[in-house]
Amino acid sequence: MSEAMSNVALVSDYLAEQENKSLLRFITCGSVDDGKSTLIGRLLYDSKLIFEDQLAALTRDSRKHGTVGEDIDFALLVDGLEAEREQGITIDVAYRFFTTEARKFIVADTPGHEQYTRNMATGASNAELAVILVDARYGVLPQTRRHSFIVSLVGIKHVILAINKIDLVDHSQEVFERISADYREFASSFGFETLVPIPISARYGDNVFERSAKMPWYDGPTLKEQLETVNVVDDLEHKPFRMVVQWVNRPNLDFRGFSGTIATGSIKPGDEIIVAKSGRTSKVKSIVTYDGKLAEAFARQAVTIQLEDEIDISRGDVLAKPSQRPEVADQFAAQLIWMQDGQDLMPGRPYLLKCGAKSVTATVTELKYKVDINNFDHLAAKTLHLNEVAMVNLSLAEPIPFDPYDENHETGSFVLIDRLTNQTVGAGMIQFALRRASNVHLQALDVDKVARARLKAQKPAILWFTGLSGAGKSTIANLVEKKLNGGGQHTYVLDGDNVRHGLNRDLGFTDVDRVENIRRVAEAAKLFVDAGLIVLVSFISPFRSERRLARELVEEGEFIEIHVDTPLSLAEERDPKGLYQKARAGQIKNFTGIDSPYELPENAELTLNTAEHTAEELAEAVVKHLRDNGYVS
C-alpha cells in the first residue's frame, strides 16, 4: 500500500512540475526539403518522447519510405500523410508536443512547398517563435524570404535561423557566416527582437540537443538552449479585455449566458461590460465553466459569462470593458495574403470576410500595392496571384468591431471566403480604420422610393439581361423599353457599350476590369430603382458573383435576372460587330466564350431562347412577366 501511495505521490509531483513549466509555441518553416520534419523528429527523439514500439515502426517505415539510406528518417515521425511520405514533402500543418527539463513546447511543422504557403501562414498565426531552416548548400531561397516576411507580418518577434545540413558543406564556418550575413541583411527591416543563427545537422543531431564537436568554431547556443532560454513575454492578460461570443448558452429558462474564449485581458463578477458594436452595457453576474464558477477569468480561458441585464447579444459580438472599447468601422486598410491557386483576387468582387465569429460581405475597394518578395519593394498591381501579399482597402456591408492586428491578433485578423465555393481564399491583418468610414452617414430623405414609384404607377425593378456577346440582349432590352414606354411606364436602359463611353471608359476587358465594370453599373442601377424607375441593364456580366452582388444591392423582388440563352455557335454566326472573328484570330484578348469564361445563371427568373423565338416574341414574354407579377398594370 505504501509503495502504491509513493507512486501516486511521484506522479502527482511530476504533473505539478510539468504544470509549472512555461509553454513555448513555435513553428518550423523554410523552403522545400530544408529538413523541417527531420528536425522535429530529432527533437522528439532526443527528448525521449518516442516509445520503443514507435521506434521500431519508425525503423520499418524508414526502410520503406525513408530518404536517408539505412539510417532512421526522423521526418517520418511528423509526415503522417501517405502523400507526404510518398513525395517526401510536408503538405499539412503537423502539431507535436515535447518537453525538456526547462520548458514545454508545441511545435508546428509547416509545409515548405509554395503551393501550401497558406498552411504555413495558419501555423504561424498562433506561434511565438519561428525556426526558419535554410539548406547550407543553397542558402537563402525565395521561399525562405516569403516565409520570413509572413513571419514578420503575423507578429512573430523571435527567430532562430537554423542553417541545416551543415555536414554536407564540411561543417564550414565560412558558409555559416555568409548565409547568416545574407539573412540578416534582407531581414533587417522586419523588427525581430531576437535573431539567432545556429549551424545544425538535424539528421545527426549536431547542435540540436547537444553541442557538436565537429564545429569547434561555433560558440553560440544549441537549438535546445535557445528554445529553453528565449524570453517570450506573454502579455495577453494585461491587454484590454476582449471576448468573441461563440455561442449564446440557454440550457433552461432561468439561465442565459454568452460562451467564448477570452482573447485578451481578464474579467470578474461585478465588472462593467459593453457590446462593442451596439454600445449596450451591463455588469457581469457570474463567470461559469464546466468545473464551476470563477472569481476571475483570464486570457485563453473558455468561459460562459452571465450578465445582470437582458441585452441583445448574438454570436460574433465582441464583449469589452466600456473604458477600453475596440474600434467599429466598415472600411479599413489591411495586409492581405492571397491563398487561392488558380483564382486571382478581384477588387470589387464580393467575398465573405470572417473576423472572429462574425461573417460579413466585403470587397477589396483598392489594391494599394503588392510586395515584391525578392526585395520587398512596393509594386503597382490590379490583382493578386497565389501567395502574393498586398496592402489593400476593404469595404464591408456592415460595421464590425476590431483592433489593429499589432494590438490584438484575435480581433485584428480575418479570412476572406469565396461565396460560391466556400473556400478560404485570403488571410489578412487589419492595420487601421479608414476615417471616412466613421464620417460618412446616409442622409435621411423625406421623399423615398415608394413615393417616387407611386407617382409612376409602377413597381421599380432591375431587369438584368445577361448572355454571350451577340446573344440579342440589347435588341430585346430595346424592344421591352419601347413596349413599356408605350404603356406609360418610366424606364431607363444601361447598355454595356454605351456605359463604356462614359462611366466605365477607364476600364478594359480583363477579369478584374469586368468585375469593376459590373460593380459600377449595379450601383448605378440601384440609384435608378431608388428613383422609382424600371431599369433595363444589358451586359454580358459573365460572373455569377457579380450578378449576385447586383441582386443583393436592392430589395427582394426588385431584381429580375433574364438569361438571353444563345448557343455560342449561333452567337458567332450572328457576330454583328465582327468581334468573334477577331477573338478567334487572337486580335481581342479576354473575350467571353473564347478565352474568358461565361458562368451560366443558376436560378434566373426568365430564360429567353433566341434560337427558337424571335426578339419580338421574347420582348413580349418579358413584358408579360412584369404584368403578371405586378410591376406594371
Side-chain angles (χ1 to χ4, degrees):
M1 185 69 177
S2 60
E3 182 179 351
M5 292 179 63
S6 176
N7 289 337
V8 170
L10 288 173
V11 171
S12 182
D13 290 344
Y14 173 78
L15 293 176
E17 177 188 344
Q18 295 300 315
E19 187 175 345
N20 292 328
K21 287 181 182 179
S22 62
L23 173 67
L24 176 69
R25 296 175 175 84
F26 71 95
I27 63 167
T28 59
C29 53
S31 194
V32 175
D33 204 31
D34 280 346
K36 298 177 293 299
S37 298
T38 301
L39 175 60
I40 295 177
R42 171 59 69 174
L43 289 171
L44 297 176
Y45 180 78
D46 287 349
S47 60
K48 306 294 189 291
L49 287 181
I50 302 177
F51 297 112
E52 288 187 10
D53 59 335
Q54 289 177 300
L55 185 60
L58 179 62
T59 303
R60 291 194 304 270
D61 287 346
S62 295
R63 296 192 189 102
K64 180 180 179 182
H65 301 288
T67 60
V68 292
E70 295 299 317
D71 294 333
I72 293 176
D73 189 346
F74 291 106
L76 298 182
L77 281 171
V78 185
D79 287 342
L81 299 176
E82 187 69 20
E84 292 176 336
R85 295 191 172 196
E86 291 174 354
Q87 298 177 52
I89 63 171
T90 298
I91 295 174
D92 203 358
V93 181
Y95 292 92
R96 293 294 184 270
F97 171 87
F98 71 97
T99 183
T100 66
E101 298 84 357
R103 212 171 212 170
K104 296 180 293 186
F105 303 93
I106 295 176
V107 54
D109 177 30
T110 62
H113 198 282
E114 183 175 346
Q115 182 181 353
Y116 303 108
T117 299
R118 58 188 296 167
N119 301 47
M120 177 267 160
T122 301
S125 64
N126 294 312
E128 299 155 311
L129 177 145
V131 177
I132 299 176
L133 282 91
V134 175
D135 190 320
R137 297 170 296 173
Y138 307 125
V140 176
L141 298 174
Q143 191 70 334
T144 315
R145 294 173 179 270
R146 181 177 288 107
H147 280 192
S148 300
F149 182 49
I150 293 173
V151 161
S152 71
L153 278 183
V154 300
I156 294 176
K157 298 297 183 184
H158 303 278
V159 169
I160 296 174
L161 180 65
I163 300 176
N164 191 27
K165 305 185 183 181
I166 196 75
D167 55 298
L168 299 182
V169 293
D170 298 324
H171 305 93
S172 170
Q173 180 179 3
E174 179 184 353
V175 170
F176 171 74
E177 291 178 347
R178 173 175 52 80
I179 295 175
S180 299
D182 289 347
Y183 188 88
R184 286 186 185 277
E185 181 180 359
F186 100 84
S188 60
S189 62
F190 289 165
F192 296 139
E193 292 179 13
T194 62
L195 172 53
V196 179
I198 304 175
I200 68 168
S201 171
R203 178 178 177 182
Y204 297 110
D206 294 324
N207 287 337
V208 178
F209 259 54
E210 303 293 338
R211 189 168 300 279
S212 173
K214 300 171 185 174
M215 290 170 276
W217 46 266
Y218 175 71
D219 58 1
T222 64
L223 182 66
K224 173 193 173 187
E225 290 169 348
Q226 182 61 19
L227 289 172
E228 287 181 332
T229 59
V230 64
N231 184 23
V232 177
V233 179
D234 183 351
D235 61 347
L236 294 182
E237 292 180 9
H238 305 292
K239 290 185 174 183
F241 172 74
R242 300 284 186 270
M243 190 185 91
V244 178
V245 175
Q246 297 283 349
W247 176 44
V248 179
N249 190 347
R250 292 294 303 271
N252 55 60
L253 294 176
D254 300 321
F255 184 93
R256 183 169 182 255
F258 307 98
S259 302
T261 298
I262 298 174
T264 54
S266 61
I267 195 75
K268 59 182 182 294
D271 283 352
E272 281 196 79
I273 206 165
I274 191 169
V275 184
K277 184 177 177 180
S278 68
R280 295 183 177 89
T281 60
S282 184
K283 286 187 177 181
V284 176
K285 180 178 180 181
S286 66
I287 303 171
V288 182
T289 69
Y290 181 79
D291 297 318
K293 294 185 177 181
L294 299 179
E296 189 170 9
F298 301 92
R300 293 202 177 99
Q301 284 187 282
V303 299
T304 295
I305 294 177
Q306 188 179 18
L307 302 180
E308 293 184 355
D309 305 293
E310 289 283 341
I311 61 175
D312 184 19
I313 299 176
S314 57
R315 173 176 164 81
D317 279 330
V318 176
L319 303 184
K321 294 182 178 178
S323 61
Q324 301 170 325
R325 189 175 174 182
E327 292 187 69
V328 177
D330 60 2
Q331 296 186 53
F332 44 74
Q335 294 272 10
L336 179 66
I337 306 169
W338 191 249
M339 296 177 166
Q340 182 67 3
D341 191 10
Q343 179 183 325
D344 296 342
L345 167 70
M346 300 286 187
R349 169 170 287 182
Y351 298 95
L352 279 182
L353 181 146
K354 192 172 192 301
C355 182
K358 182 70 173 178
S359 296
V360 298
T361 301
T363 58
V364 174
T365 55
E366 182 182 1
L367 205 166
K368 302 175 77 171
Y369 61 80
K370 71 177 181 180
V371 179
D372 186 332
I373 207 67
N374 295 307
N375 52 27
F376 305 107
D377 286 346
H378 295 174
L379 306 177
K382 283 194 170 185
T383 186
L384 289 181
H385 308 299
L386 175 67
N387 297 331
E388 290 188 324
V389 180
M391 174 66 81
V392 301
N393 288 347
L394 287 144
S395 177
L396 279 59
E398 62 180 89
I400 63 168
F402 74 94
D403 295 288
Y405 183 80
D406 288 344
E407 297 177 12
N408 193 311
H409 290 188
E410 180 75 18
T411 54
S413 60
F414 63 88
V415 294
L416 287 183
I417 300 168
D418 185 281
R419 301 196 314 166
L420 294 178
T421 66
N422 209 35
Q423 290 184 318
T424 299
V425 294
M429 289 71 68
I430 299 173
Q431 304 294 303
F432 52 84
L434 300 176
R435 290 304 164 199
R436 62 177 179 268
S438 56
N439 295 330
V440 179
H441 304 278
L442 287 173
Q443 177 64 47
L445 301 173
D446 293 329
V447 179
D448 60 10
K449 176 172 55 181
V450 174
R452 299 183 190 106
R454 188 183 301 119
L455 284 177
K456 299 171 176 56
Q458 63 189 33
K459 180 179 175 182
I462 298 173
L463 307 185
W464 193 282
F465 294 83
T466 176
L468 294 172
S469 176
K473 300 180 299 298
S474 297
T475 301
I476 298 171
N478 183 53
L479 288 171
V480 171
E481 186 180 37
K482 286 174 64 177
K483 291 176 181 294
L484 293 176
N485 186 263
Q489 304 330 130
H490 292 244
T491 61
Y492 194 83
V493 171
L494 290 172
D495 183 79
D497 286 347
N498 294 346
V499 170
R500 282 188 177 273
H501 282 85
L503 178 65
N504 293 344
R505 66 185 302 175
D506 60 318
L507 300 177
F509 292 90
T510 65
D511 286 351
V512 174
D513 283 347
R514 287 179 184 275
V515 169
E516 176 62 12
N517 182 44
I518 298 305
R519 188 194 69 80
R520 293 183 191 178
V521 169
E523 291 286 356
K526 176 187 176 183
L527 294 177
F528 280 112
V529 168
D530 193 56
L533 274 65
I534 296 173
V535 54
L536 298 87
V537 178
S538 175
F539 277 70
I540 295 173
S541 48
F543 303 123
R544 294 190 191 106
S545 57
E546 278 62 64
R547 299 195 296 265
R548 179 187 289 183
L549 166 67
R551 182 185 292 273
E552 292 175 351
L553 286 176
V554 293
E555 296 179 21
E556 183 74 25
E558 291 182 345
F559 187 92
I560 301 171
E561 186 174 23
I562 303 171
H563 180 207
V564 183
D565 187 9
T566 303
L568 178 61
S569 58
L570 180 56
E572 283 198 70
E573 183 181 322
R574 293 171 179 169
D575 202 10
K577 302 172 187 176
L579 300 180
Y580 281 101
Q581 185 177 357
K582 291 180 179 179
R584 293 290 188 188
Q587 297 173 10
I588 300 178
K589 300 297 183 184
N590 304 306
F591 192 81
T592 302
I594 304 300
D595 57 353
S596 185
Y598 177 79
E599 297 174 356
L600 292 171
E602 294 179 323
N603 296 294
E605 279 76 8
L606 283 172
T607 298
L608 307 180
N609 190 328
T610 64
E612 298 178 2
H613 300 279
T614 66
E616 179 69 28
E617 291 171 338
L618 296 174
E620 187 56 44
V622 174
V623 174
K624 182 178 184 302
H625 178 86
L626 295 178
R627 289 199 191 100
D628 292 346
N629 290 277
Y631 292 92
V632 298
S633 56

